[in-house]
PDB file of all heavy atoms in Angstrom:
ATOM      1  N   PHE W   1     -60.863 -24.480 -11.666  1.00 47.00           N
ATOM      2  CA  PHE W   1     -60.829 -24.384 -10.205  1.00 47.00           C
ATOM      3  C   PHE W   1     -59.412 -24.630  -9.738  1.00 47.00           C
ATOM      4  O   PHE W   1     -58.824 -25.643 -10.056  1.00 47.00           O
ATOM      5  CB  PHE W   1     -61.762 -25.430  -9.586  1.00 47.00           C
ATOM      6  CG  PHE W   1     -61.909 -25.267  -8.104  1.00 47.00           C
ATOM      7  CD1 PHE W   1     -62.878 -24.434  -7.587  1.00 47.00           C
ATOM      8  CD2 PHE W   1     -61.067 -25.928  -7.224  1.00 47.00           C
ATOM      9  CE1 PHE W   1     -63.013 -24.280  -6.234  1.00 47.00           C
ATOM     10  CE2 PHE W   1     -61.197 -25.781  -5.876  1.00 47.00           C
ATOM     11  CZ  PHE W   1     -62.183 -24.956  -5.386  1.00 47.00           C
ATOM     12  N   LYS W   2     -58.888 -23.693  -8.974  1.00 49.00           N
ATOM     13  CA  LYS W   2     -57.504 -23.798  -8.512  1.00 49.00           C
ATOM     14  C   LYS W   2     -57.468 -24.329  -7.095  1.00 49.00           C
ATOM     15  O   LYS W   2     -58.243 -23.889  -6.250  1.00 49.00           O
ATOM     16  CB  LYS W   2     -56.845 -22.426  -8.566  1.00 49.00           C
ATOM     17  CG  LYS W   2     -55.387 -22.436  -8.131  1.00 49.00           C
ATOM     18  CD  LYS W   2     -54.800 -21.046  -8.190  1.00 49.00           C
ATOM     19  CE  LYS W   2     -53.370 -21.065  -7.721  1.00 49.00           C
ATOM     20  NZ  LYS W   2     -52.770 -19.713  -7.736  1.00 49.00           N
ATOM     21  N   GLU W   3     -56.579 -25.212  -6.845  1.00 50.00           N
ATOM     22  CA  GLU W   3     -56.426 -25.775  -5.509  1.00 50.00           C
ATOM     23  C   GLU W   3     -55.831 -24.732  -4.561  1.00 50.00           C
ATOM     24  O   GLU W   3     -55.001 -23.927  -4.943  1.00 50.00           O
ATOM     25  CB  GLU W   3     -55.490 -26.988  -5.586  1.00 50.00           C
ATOM     26  CG  GLU W   3     -55.299 -27.671  -4.235  1.00 50.00           C
ATOM     27  CD  GLU W   3     -54.228 -28.739  -4.283  1.00 50.00           C
ATOM     28  OE1 GLU W   3     -53.565 -28.846  -5.318  1.00 50.00           O
ATOM     29  OE2 GLU W   3     -54.059 -29.414  -3.282  1.00 50.00           O
ATOM     30  N   ASN W   4     -56.383 -24.748  -3.365  1.00 55.00           N
ATOM     31  CA  ASN W   4     -55.927 -23.841  -2.303  1.00 55.00           C
ATOM     32  C   ASN W   4     -56.225 -22.365  -2.610  1.00 55.00           C
ATOM     33  O   ASN W   4     -55.583 -21.465  -2.071  1.00 55.00           O
ATOM     34  CB  ASN W   4     -54.432 -23.982  -2.039  1.00 55.00           C
ATOM     35  CG  ASN W   4     -54.055 -25.381  -1.582  1.00 55.00           C
ATOM     36  OD1 ASN W   4     -54.863 -26.080  -0.971  1.00 55.00           O
ATOM     37  ND2 ASN W   4     -52.829 -25.773  -1.886  1.00 55.00           N
ATOM     38  N   CYS W   5     -57.182 -22.104  -3.489  1.00 67.00           N
ATOM     39  CA  CYS W   5     -57.526 -20.708  -3.813  1.00 67.00           C
ATOM     40  C   CYS W   5     -58.126 -20.016  -2.594  1.00 67.00           C
ATOM     41  O   CYS W   5     -57.780 -18.883  -2.295  1.00 67.00           O
ATOM     42  CB  CYS W   5     -58.506 -20.680  -4.981  1.00 67.00           C
ATOM     43  SG  CYS W   5     -58.990 -19.007  -5.466  1.00 67.00           S
ATOM     44  N   LEU W   6     -59.027 -20.691  -1.896  1.00 72.00           N
ATOM     45  CA  LEU W   6     -59.653 -20.092  -0.720  1.00 72.00           C
ATOM     46  C   LEU W   6     -58.636 -19.896   0.401  1.00 72.00           C
ATOM     47  O   LEU W   6     -58.696 -18.925   1.157  1.00 72.00           O
ATOM     48  CB  LEU W   6     -60.810 -20.964  -0.241  1.00 72.00           C
ATOM     49  CG  LEU W   6     -61.995 -21.088  -1.206  1.00 72.00           C
ATOM     50  CD1 LEU W   6     -63.036 -22.033  -0.626  1.00 72.00           C
ATOM     51  CD2 LEU W   6     -62.612 -19.718  -1.437  1.00 72.00           C
ATOM     52  N   GLU W   7     -57.696 -20.829   0.501  1.00 76.00           N
ATOM     53  CA  GLU W   7     -56.668 -20.691   1.536  1.00 76.00           C
ATOM     54  C   GLU W   7     -55.811 -19.452   1.292  1.00 76.00           C
ATOM     55  O   GLU W   7     -55.505 -18.705   2.217  1.00 76.00           O
ATOM     56  CB  GLU W   7     -55.783 -21.935   1.554  1.00 76.00           C
ATOM     57  CG  GLU W   7     -56.489 -23.182   2.077  1.00 76.00           C
ATOM     58  CD  GLU W   7     -55.541 -24.358   2.158  1.00 76.00           C
ATOM     59  OE1 GLU W   7     -54.360 -24.180   1.786  1.00 76.00           O
ATOM     60  OE2 GLU W   7     -55.969 -25.437   2.603  1.00 76.00           O
ATOM     61  N   GLU W   8     -55.454 -19.234   0.019  1.00 81.00           N
ATOM     62  CA  GLU W   8     -54.654 -18.066  -0.291  1.00 81.00           C
ATOM     63  C   GLU W   8     -55.436 -16.783  -0.039  1.00 81.00           C
ATOM     64  O   GLU W   8     -54.893 -15.781   0.444  1.00 81.00           O
ATOM     65  CB  GLU W   8     -54.192 -18.118  -1.748  1.00 81.00           C
ATOM     66  CG  GLU W   8     -53.195 -19.230  -2.009  1.00 81.00           C
ATOM     67  CD  GLU W   8     -52.692 -19.195  -3.437  1.00 81.00           C
ATOM     68  OE1 GLU W   8     -53.115 -18.279  -4.176  1.00 81.00           O
ATOM     69  OE2 GLU W   8     -51.888 -20.057  -3.808  1.00 81.00           O
ATOM     70  N   LYS W   9     -56.726 -16.794  -0.350  1.00 80.00           N
ATOM     71  CA  LYS W   9     -57.550 -15.613  -0.094  1.00 80.00           C
ATOM     72  C   LYS W   9     -57.635 -15.315   1.398  1.00 80.00           C
ATOM     73  O   LYS W   9     -57.515 -14.176   1.831  1.00 80.00           O
ATOM     74  CB  LYS W   9     -58.954 -15.807  -0.671  1.00 80.00           C
ATOM     75  CG  LYS W   9     -59.013 -15.703  -2.175  1.00 80.00           C
ATOM     76  CD  LYS W   9     -60.450 -15.823  -2.666  1.00 80.00           C
ATOM     77  CE  LYS W   9     -60.516 -15.670  -4.175  1.00 80.00           C
ATOM     78  NZ  LYS W   9     -61.911 -15.785  -4.673  1.00 80.00           N
ATOM     79  N   HIS W  10     -57.829 -16.379   2.185  1.00 81.00           N
ATOM     80  CA  HIS W  10     -57.871 -16.194   3.633  1.00 81.00           C
ATOM     81  C   HIS W  10     -56.534 -15.700   4.176  1.00 81.00           C
ATOM     82  O   HIS W  10     -56.483 -14.848   5.078  1.00 81.00           O
ATOM     83  CB  HIS W  10     -58.271 -17.500   4.319  1.00 81.00           C
ATOM     84  CG  HIS W  10     -59.712 -17.868   4.133  1.00 81.00           C
ATOM     85  ND1 HIS W  10     -60.741 -16.991   4.395  1.00 81.00           N
ATOM     86  CD2 HIS W  10     -60.289 -19.028   3.701  1.00 81.00           C
ATOM     87  CE1 HIS W  10     -61.898 -17.577   4.141  1.00 81.00           C
ATOM     88  NE2 HIS W  10     -61.661 -18.810   3.712  1.00 81.00           N
ATOM     89  N   ALA W  11     -55.445 -16.238   3.630  1.00 85.00           N
ATOM     90  CA  ALA W  11     -54.121 -15.816   4.090  1.00 85.00           C
ATOM     91  C   ALA W  11     -53.862 -14.346   3.749  1.00 85.00           C
ATOM     92  O   ALA W  11     -53.353 -13.579   4.577  1.00 85.00           O
ATOM     93  CB  ALA W  11     -53.040 -16.699   3.473  1.00 85.00           C
ATOM     94  N   LYS W  12     -54.262 -13.950   2.529  1.00 86.00           N
ATOM     95  CA  LYS W  12     -54.086 -12.546   2.144  1.00 86.00           C
ATOM     96  C   LYS W  12     -54.957 -11.625   2.991  1.00 86.00           C
ATOM     97  O   LYS W  12     -54.545 -10.543   3.380  1.00 86.00           O
ATOM     98  CB  LYS W  12     -54.401 -12.370   0.665  1.00 86.00           C
ATOM     99  CG  LYS W  12     -53.379 -13.007  -0.259  1.00 86.00           C
ATOM    100  CD  LYS W  12     -53.737 -12.775  -1.710  1.00 86.00           C
ATOM    101  CE  LYS W  12     -52.688 -13.397  -2.638  1.00 86.00           C
ATOM    102  NZ  LYS W  12     -53.034 -13.198  -4.062  1.00 86.00           N
ATOM    103  N   ALA W  13     -56.187 -12.080   3.251  1.00 87.00           N
ATOM    104  CA  ALA W  13     -57.078 -11.269   4.092  1.00 87.00           C
ATOM    105  C   ALA W  13     -56.519 -11.131   5.505  1.00 87.00           C
ATOM    106  O   ALA W  13     -56.587 -10.054   6.115  1.00 87.00           O
ATOM    107  CB  ALA W  13     -58.471 -11.894   4.122  1.00 87.00           C
ATOM    108  N   GLU W  14     -55.952 -12.205   6.031  1.00 88.00           N
ATOM    109  CA  GLU W  14     -55.359 -12.147   7.366  1.00 88.00           C
ATOM    110  C   GLU W  14     -54.140 -11.226   7.399  1.00 88.00           C
ATOM    111  O   GLU W  14     -53.947 -10.438   8.337  1.00 88.00           O
ATOM    112  CB  GLU W  14     -54.960 -13.558   7.810  1.00 88.00           C
ATOM    113  CG  GLU W  14     -54.406 -13.643   9.219  1.00 88.00           C
ATOM    114  CD  GLU W  14     -55.443 -13.333  10.278  1.00 88.00           C
ATOM    115  OE1 GLU W  14     -56.661 -13.403   9.971  1.00 88.00           O
ATOM    116  OE2 GLU W  14     -55.041 -12.996  11.404  1.00 88.00           O
ATOM    117  N   GLU W  15     -53.326 -11.319   6.352  1.00 89.00           N
ATOM    118  CA  GLU W  15     -52.153 -10.445   6.271  1.00 89.00           C
ATOM    119  C   GLU W  15     -52.567  -8.985   6.149  1.00 89.00           C
ATOM    120  O   GLU W  15     -51.985  -8.094   6.776  1.00 89.00           O
ATOM    121  CB  GLU W  15     -51.301 -10.857   5.072  1.00 89.00           C
ATOM    122  CG  GLU W  15     -50.001 -10.063   4.963  1.00 89.00           C
ATOM    123  CD  GLU W  15     -49.164 -10.514   3.774  1.00 89.00           C
ATOM    124  OE1 GLU W  15     -49.595 -11.447   3.060  1.00 89.00           O
ATOM    125  OE2 GLU W  15     -48.097  -9.917   3.567  1.00 89.00           O
ATOM    126  N   LEU W  16     -53.619  -8.732   5.353  1.00 90.00           N
ATOM    127  CA  LEU W  16     -54.117  -7.359   5.200  1.00 90.00           C
ATOM    128  C   LEU W  16     -54.679  -6.831   6.522  1.00 90.00           C
ATOM    129  O   LEU W  16     -54.480  -5.659   6.875  1.00 90.00           O
ATOM    130  CB  LEU W  16     -55.198  -7.328   4.114  1.00 90.00           C
ATOM    131  CG  LEU W  16     -55.800  -5.955   3.790  1.00 90.00           C
ATOM    132  CD1 LEU W  16     -54.714  -5.019   3.274  1.00 90.00           C
ATOM    133  CD2 LEU W  16     -56.912  -6.093   2.752  1.00 90.00           C
ATOM    134  N   ARG W  17     -55.365  -7.716   7.253  1.00 89.00           N
ATOM    135  CA  ARG W  17     -55.905  -7.295   8.548  1.00 89.00           C
ATOM    136  C   ARG W  17     -54.777  -6.942   9.521  1.00 89.00           C
ATOM    137  O   ARG W  17     -54.855  -5.953  10.257  1.00 89.00           O
ATOM    138  CB  ARG W  17     -56.771  -8.403   9.128  1.00 89.00           C
ATOM    139  CG  ARG W  17     -57.486  -8.031  10.433  1.00 89.00           C
ATOM    140  CD  ARG W  17     -58.184  -9.227  11.014  1.00 89.00           C
ATOM    141  NE  ARG W  17     -57.238 -10.262  11.393  1.00 89.00           N
ATOM    142  CZ  ARG W  17     -56.513 -10.248  12.508  1.00 89.00           C
ATOM    143  NH1 ARG W  17     -56.638  -9.232  13.363  1.00 89.00           N
ATOM    144  NH2 ARG W  17     -55.669 -11.203  12.786  1.00 89.00           N
ATOM    145  N   LYS W  18     -53.705  -7.733   9.528  1.00 90.00           N
ATOM    146  CA  LYS W  18     -52.571  -7.451  10.398  1.00 90.00           C
ATOM    147  C   LYS W  18     -51.903  -6.124  10.041  1.00 90.00           C
ATOM    148  O   LYS W  18     -51.520  -5.335  10.913  1.00 90.00           O
ATOM    149  CB  LYS W  18     -51.553  -8.585  10.332  1.00 90.00           C
ATOM    150  CG  LYS W  18     -52.044  -9.884  10.964  1.00 90.00           C
ATOM    151  CD  LYS W  18     -50.973 -10.951  10.881  1.00 90.00           C
ATOM    152  CE  LYS W  18     -51.445 -12.256  11.541  1.00 90.00           C
ATOM    153  NZ  LYS W  18     -50.419 -13.322  11.452  1.00 90.00           N
ATOM    154  N   LEU W  19     -51.777  -5.871   8.734  1.00 92.00           N
ATOM    155  CA  LEU W  19     -51.182  -4.609   8.303  1.00 92.00           C
ATOM    156  C   LEU W  19     -52.037  -3.420   8.723  1.00 92.00           C
ATOM    157  O   LEU W  19     -51.523  -2.380   9.151  1.00 92.00           O
ATOM    158  CB  LEU W  19     -50.999  -4.607   6.783  1.00 92.00           C
ATOM    159  CG  LEU W  19     -49.910  -5.541   6.237  1.00 92.00           C
ATOM    160  CD1 LEU W  19     -49.906  -5.522   4.711  1.00 92.00           C
ATOM    161  CD2 LEU W  19     -48.542  -5.129   6.759  1.00 92.00           C
ATOM    162  N   ARG W  20     -53.366  -3.586   8.593  1.00 91.00           N
ATOM    163  CA  ARG W  20     -54.243  -2.491   9.012  1.00 91.00           C
ATOM    164  C   ARG W  20     -54.152  -2.251  10.521  1.00 91.00           C
ATOM    165  O   ARG W  20     -54.127  -1.099  10.975  1.00 91.00           O
ATOM    166  CB  ARG W  20     -55.682  -2.810   8.618  1.00 91.00           C
ATOM    167  CG  ARG W  20     -55.942  -2.679   7.114  1.00 91.00           C
ATOM    168  CD  ARG W  20     -57.359  -3.090   6.774  1.00 91.00           C
ATOM    169  NE  ARG W  20     -57.613  -2.926   5.344  1.00 91.00           N
ATOM    170  CZ  ARG W  20     -58.732  -3.326   4.740  1.00 91.00           C
ATOM    171  NH1 ARG W  20     -59.693  -3.908   5.461  1.00 91.00           N
ATOM    172  NH2 ARG W  20     -58.896  -3.132   3.446  1.00 91.00           N
ATOM    173  N   ASP W  21     -54.095  -3.327  11.281  1.00 91.00           N
ATOM    174  CA  ASP W  21     -53.939  -3.174  12.735  1.00 91.00           C
ATOM    175  C   ASP W  21     -52.624  -2.495  13.081  1.00 91.00           C
ATOM    176  O   ASP W  21     -52.558  -1.633  13.988  1.00 91.00           O
ATOM    177  CB  ASP W  21     -54.016  -4.542  13.429  1.00 91.00           C
ATOM    178  CG  ASP W  21     -55.391  -5.174  13.297  1.00 91.00           C
ATOM    179  OD1 ASP W  21     -56.353  -4.432  13.008  1.00 91.00           O
ATOM    180  OD2 ASP W  21     -55.501  -6.409  13.487  1.00 91.00           O
ATOM    181  N   TYR W  22     -51.575  -2.868  12.368  1.00 92.00           N
ATOM    182  CA  TYR W  22     -50.278  -2.251  12.613  1.00 92.00           C
ATOM    183  C   TYR W  22     -50.283  -0.762  12.263  1.00 92.00           C
ATOM    184  O   TYR W  22     -49.727   0.072  12.985  1.00 92.00           O
ATOM    185  CB  TYR W  22     -49.207  -2.973  11.797  1.00 92.00           C
ATOM    186  CG  TYR W  22     -47.800  -2.473  12.010  1.00 92.00           C
ATOM    187  CD1 TYR W  22     -47.162  -2.629  13.242  1.00 92.00           C
ATOM    188  CD2 TYR W  22     -47.110  -1.835  10.983  1.00 92.00           C
ATOM    189  CE1 TYR W  22     -45.871  -2.163  13.443  1.00 92.00           C
ATOM    190  CE2 TYR W  22     -45.818  -1.372  11.175  1.00 92.00           C
ATOM    191  CZ  TYR W  22     -45.208  -1.537  12.407  1.00 92.00           C
ATOM    192  OH  TYR W  22     -43.934  -1.081  12.609  1.00 92.00           O
ATOM    193  N   ILE W  23     -50.961  -0.430  11.152  1.00 93.00           N
ATOM    194  CA  ILE W  23     -51.071   0.987  10.766  1.00 93.00           C
ATOM    195  C   ILE W  23     -51.865   1.764  11.808  1.00 93.00           C
ATOM    196  O   ILE W  23     -51.507   2.889  12.179  1.00 93.00           O
ATOM    197  CB  ILE W  23     -51.708   1.101   9.369  1.00 93.00           C
ATOM    198  CG1 ILE W  23     -50.749   0.542   8.303  1.00 93.00           C
ATOM    199  CG2 ILE W  23     -52.085   2.546   9.057  1.00 93.00           C
ATOM    200  CD1 ILE W  23     -51.349   0.460   6.924  1.00 93.00           C
ATOM    201  N   ASN W  24     -52.963   1.182  12.289  1.00 90.00           N
ATOM    202  CA  ASN W  24     -53.755   1.854  13.325  1.00 90.00           C
ATOM    203  C   ASN W  24     -52.951   2.066  14.604  1.00 90.00           C
ATOM    204  O   ASN W  24     -53.049   3.115  15.255  1.00 90.00           O
ATOM    205  CB  ASN W  24     -55.019   1.045  13.626  1.00 90.00           C
ATOM    206  CG  ASN W  24     -55.980   1.016  12.455  1.00 90.00           C
ATOM    207  OD1 ASN W  24     -55.980   1.936  11.628  1.00 90.00           O
ATOM    208  ND2 ASN W  24     -56.796  -0.020  12.369  1.00 90.00           N
ATOM    209  N   GLU W  25     -52.147   1.059  14.949  1.00 91.00           N
ATOM    210  CA  GLU W  25     -51.308   1.194  16.146  1.00 91.00           C
ATOM    211  C   GLU W  25     -50.277   2.308  15.984  1.00 91.00           C
ATOM    212  O   GLU W  25     -50.046   3.095  16.903  1.00 91.00           O
ATOM    213  CB  GLU W  25     -50.608  -0.137  16.417  1.00 91.00           C
ATOM    214  CG  GLU W  25     -49.784  -0.154  17.691  1.00 91.00           C
ATOM    215  CD  GLU W  25     -49.111  -1.492  17.920  1.00 91.00           C
ATOM    216  OE1 GLU W  25     -49.356  -2.430  17.112  1.00 91.00           O
ATOM    217  OE2 GLU W  25     -48.337  -1.601  18.878  1.00 91.00           O
ATOM    218  N   LEU W  26     -49.673   2.384  14.787  1.00 92.00           N
ATOM    219  CA  LEU W  26     -48.706   3.455  14.537  1.00 92.00           C
ATOM    220  C   LEU W  26     -49.367   4.822  14.544  1.00 92.00           C
ATOM    221  O   LEU W  26     -48.789   5.800  15.034  1.00 92.00           O
ATOM    222  CB  LEU W  26     -48.014   3.225  13.190  1.00 92.00           C
ATOM    223  CG  LEU W  26     -47.077   2.011  13.098  1.00 92.00           C
ATOM    224  CD1 LEU W  26     -46.489   1.911  11.702  1.00 92.00           C
ATOM    225  CD2 LEU W  26     -45.958   2.113  14.136  1.00 92.00           C
TER     226      LEU W  26
END
């Protein structure tokens, strides 16, 4: 079990969501 694994997953998911929103805006 790795510490902060869920935090990193949430951070990556949030970053991916922002990128998708930015692509949709473009």
Side-chain angles (χ1 to χ4, degrees):
F1 187 88
K2 181 181 178 181
E3 182 188 7
N4 299 331
C5 180
L6 295 177
E7 290 184 359
E8 292 184 2
K9 286 183 178 180
H10 288 309
K12 290 181 179 179
E14 183 67 19
E15 184 179 359
L16 182 61
R17 185 187 64 79
K18 291 181 179 179
L19 290 176
R20 287 176 178 174
D21 294 341
Y22 183 66
I23 292 173
N24 293 334
E25 184 180 356
L26 292 179

